[in-house]
């Protein structure tokens, strides 16, 4: 699964870090960055994306590029 953070949407709430601390961390600007997209199960990463208040975390299928979350 491809995991990216839309930096224009992230507001540094760090909820993603709380759910999956091996996958996300806050950088020096308090914006979330992906440190290891395989640092937790896809299910847990989906949960992290769901709890993000600004829907800044984008999940896509590795091969097809198909959007998993958020659904628009
Ligand atoms: S939960 Fe969302 S807004 Fe908060 S740090 Fe993570 S990506 Fe950014």
């Amino acid at each position: 699964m491809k995991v990216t953070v839309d930096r224009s949407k992230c507001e540094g709430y760090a909820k993603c870090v709380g759910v999956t601390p091996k996958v996300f961390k806050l950088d020096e600007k308090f914006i979330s960055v992906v440190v290891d997209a395989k640092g937790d199960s896809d299910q847990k990463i989906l949960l992290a994306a769901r709890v993000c208040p600004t829907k800044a975390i984008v999940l896509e299928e590795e091969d097809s590029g198909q959007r998993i979350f958020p659904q628009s």
Side-chain angles (χ1 to χ4, degrees):
M1 189 167 67
K2 192 176 167 212
V3 184
T4 49
V5 175
D6 183 339
R7 296 182 63 84
S8 68
K9 284 190 181 169
C10 174
E11 293 181 5
Y13 292 105
K15 287 183 181 287
C16 55
V17 182
V19 175
T20 48
K22 290 182 182 160
V23 178
F24 300 98
K25 70 165 189 173
L26 294 191
D27 69 8
E28 66 284 354
K29 290 180 178 164
F30 298 102
I31 302 292
S32 176
V33 289
V34 179
V35 283
D36 182 6
K38 308 232 180 295
D40 214 324
S41 66
D42 285 1
Q43 206 178 355
K44 204 80 187 285
I45 296 172
L46 179 59
L47 177 64
R50 283 213 172 104
V51 298
C52 172
T54 63
K55 299 281 177 277
I57 297 170
V58 178
L59 307 177
E60 293 161 322
E61 296 279 2
E62 195 92 54
D63 300 331
S64 65
Q66 194 183 339
R67 175 74 69 96
I68 299 167
F69 189 88
Q71 303 281 1
S72 51

